[in-house]
Amino acid sequence: MSNLYFQIASLFIVLLIFIVYFSKRRVNNFETKIYSFLLIGNLMVLILDFFIISHGYFFEYSDEILILNKIYSSVLLMWVFLFSIYIMYISIRNKIKKINLFKWITFTLFFSNIIVILIIFISPLYVFNQDNVMYSYGPSINTLIIATIFYIIVITASIIVNIKNVLNQKYMPVVTLVILMIIAIIIREINPGLLLVTSIITYINLVMFFTIENPDVKMINELNIARDQAEKANLAKTDFLSSMSHEIRTPLNAIVGFSQSIGEEDVPDNIKQDIKYIKMASNNLLELVNGILDISKIEADKLEIINNEYNIHTLLDEVVTLARGRLGDKPLDFRVIIDKSIPHVLYGDHSRLKQIIINLLTNAIKYTDDGFVEFNVNMVKQNNVCRLIVTIEDSGIGIPSDKIDKLFTKFERMGVEKYNSVEGTGLGLAITKKLVDLMNGKIVVQSDYGIGSKFTVAIDQKLVDNPVHVSLEETMSLDLRDLQFNNKKVLVVDDNKINLKVATRLLTNYAVNIDEVESGQRCLDKIMAGEKYDLILLDDMMPKMSGVETLKKLKEINGFKTPVVALTANAIAGMKEKYLNDGFDDYIPKPIERKELNKIVVKYLQ
């Protein structure tokens, strides 16, 4: 009768596991499916075992009970088979080449198991039941024991062959479980009356539930895997877009550079007008590339706000100049109202602030054919914070009230039905909203369809008590093409011949002596040979030796003090700060803008 104590305790445990496991949300994979069948098999074995033992204590054994005993042996064997399949799978699941072999072995073992079960049913089975000691024996039980030993060998072989895989995946409990199965068989042979087999498999299921098959832990693991995969996918996408940005910017550099240089020459007005259109198209393409990169960074949660001191009035002047250039031939009244009392130097991310304002101004100009576009900047000061209030109002097509909520959705373009010829991707406002949020600002939209729209942005920037020196090029406007630097020598390093021609063409206006090389190694050779330069413009993304690697080797040369400026198509947000941290003195993105080049030339050659 004491054998029933083990069965009752085991039945209670497996019922609890059964209820908890199947009531929880679970990961749906091969392992969890097998474990579900293991629990079901465990429950069936315990119920049969309990019924058989209790019946043997109170009644004589009948043929029906002998059949139930064989069913019990068959279910127990099926449980061992499933457990073997589970062990084999977790030991090779990350090895794709072995999956087909695993399927073939599983198929073979399943049909072999069916044959063994048939042998168990047709083989004789006897029951010993004296002095409260009861157990089964005979050819049927011997068949079960031999088959179980075979499966233990299969399990042990799977663990040994793939021991590193098993250990790395923290499946150490499996080794313990196999040892317990071996101990159970040994005890069965030494003392057949001590019926521990069903209790052992219950313990195995219990250990598995709290270790390798816990639903909550597996769900968290699967979520972590999904997160890692998503991060890798986002990283791959960002790398791809960065690479594509570099590839697109390289030909754009030639288009913008040569058009700028030709436009500065004495050419007919119609040629200047064509150059103007070329630059506009180039800027549209550049905005598209930058927008896609920003959206990629937003999705990957990698968009950064980089704060530093800047001249707000210089920034606003640049924005106004850009906006006037985008008016084109539109007969618009472009009104600019800027509060002159705004402090000159503020602390914040000026590039992102500029991006926000340009996006809103571009949209206003794009969707307004006549009337006005008003650009108004005010401020409110409190303690050490200057709240910039930027308002952009237009008399354009307006926005339907039912579409304002979708205004900041990616690829959502308002008014496309009426203005289907307007270029754009629908990324600008989505990026703008994200940037405003990242800068802890607010954006408000007011619009009357067919009458016009008004966008108001409020962003806090810190006041600067003791501003650092604001460089001359940010506070003064000079016609730098009239400056001559005949006694200065500049080295341009770029692996792309067209880029070298662009840089040389643009630098010619300053009357500098220009030297050019196509690799970092040749740059090093020039310096090692004793060549002296006043400025080096160094591309970064070059084969064999990058610009960063070249710079490190340059700095190892005794007496080298020439300023080195990164001149690169790697122009995504945050690159300037990266290159400055790498040791470059300054940074110019491609396509090369004359204004940016002017600043560098004045800063390092004047």
Side-chain angles (χ1 to χ4, degrees), residues 12-25:
F12 178 74
I13 291 171
V14 81
L15 277 172
L16 281 178
I17 300 172
F18 196 90
I19 293 168
V20 172
Y21 184 78
F22 285 102
S23 65
K24 283 182 174 289
R25 185 181 176 186

Side-chain angles (χ1 to χ4, degrees), residues 111-260:
F111 280 97
S112 300
N113 215 51
I114 297 298
I115 293 172
V116 173
I117 289 173
L118 290 175
I119 294 173
I120 289 173
F121 265 91
I122 63 176
S123 299
L125 176 69
Y126 309 106
V127 176
F128 179 86
N129 188 5
Q130 291 181 6
D131 302 324
N132 287 331
V133 176
M134 182 173 54
Y135 58 88
S136 303
Y137 64 98
S140 180
I141 296 300
N142 292 337
T143 302
L144 173 63
I145 292 172
I146 292 169
T148 302
I149 292 172
F150 168 76
Y151 281 123
I152 289 174
I153 294 171
V154 170
I155 292 170
T156 306
S158 298
I159 293 173
I160 292 172
V161 171
N162 303 284
I163 188 67
K164 290 183 180 179
N165 197 35
V166 172
L167 293 177
N168 288 340
Q169 295 181 21
K170 299 180 181 178
Y171 284 113
M172 275 303 293
V174 169
V175 179
T176 306
L177 304 181
V178 174
I179 294 171
L180 287 174
M181 291 179 68
I182 296 171
I183 292 172
I185 292 175
I186 294 172
I187 291 174
R188 172 72 173 71
E189 291 302 308
I190 296 174
N191 186 357
L194 191 58
L195 304 179
L196 291 177
V197 175
T198 49
S199 297
I200 289 293
I201 69 171
T202 300
Y203 180 74
I204 291 173
N205 278 324
L206 180 65
V207 172
M208 291 174 70
F209 177 81
F210 282 106
T211 54
I212 56 181
E213 282 300 327
N214 185 280
D216 296 332
V217 173
K218 292 207 79 167
M219 187 68 73
I220 291 171
N221 289 339
E222 289 294 321
L223 289 173
N224 288 336
I225 292 170
R227 182 197 63 195
D228 292 342
Q229 290 174 342
E231 288 178 353
K232 288 179 181 177
N234 268 326
L235 182 60
K237 181 175 68 174
T238 301
D239 290 343
F240 169 75
L241 291 173
S242 297
S243 176
M244 288 306 298
S245 169
H246 175 264
E247 296 302 321
I248 293 171
R249 282 173 179 273
T250 298
L252 265 180
N253 184 49
I255 295 169
V256 173
F258 284 126
S259 61
Q260 281 185 150

Side-chain angles (χ1 to χ4, degrees), residues 443-463:
I443 183 168
V444 177
V445 184
Q446 299 167 277
S447 183
D448 290 324
Y449 188 53
I451 297 176
S453 304
K454 182 178 180 180
F455 286 77
T456 303
V457 176
I459 294 178
D460 290 344
Q461 301 284 270
K462 289 184 179 180
L463 293 168

Side-chain angles (χ1 to χ4, degrees), residues 387 433 436-437 439-444 456-460:
R387 173 163 295 179
K433 179 65 167 64
V436 170
D437 291 343
M439 297 175 76
N440 298 316
K442 291 184 179 180
I443 183 168
V444 177
T456 303
V457 176
I459 294 178
D460 290 344

Side-chain angles (χ1 to χ4, degrees), residues 241-254 286 289-290 293 493-496 499 538-542 566-573 575 579 587-592:
L241 291 173
S242 297
S243 176
M244 288 306 298
S245 169
H246 175 264
E247 296 302 321
I248 293 171
R249 282 173 179 273
T250 298
L252 265 180
N253 184 49
L286 198 56
V289 172
N290 291 337
L293 283 171
V493 186
D494 201 311
D495 63 298
N496 187 290
N499 284 338
L538 177 61
D539 185 28
D540 178 37
M541 302 177 79
M542 296 186 294
L567 175 61
T568 176
N570 190 9
I572 60 176
M575 283 298 103
Y579 284 118
Y587 163 86
I588 303 178
K590 296 175 185 175
I592 303 171

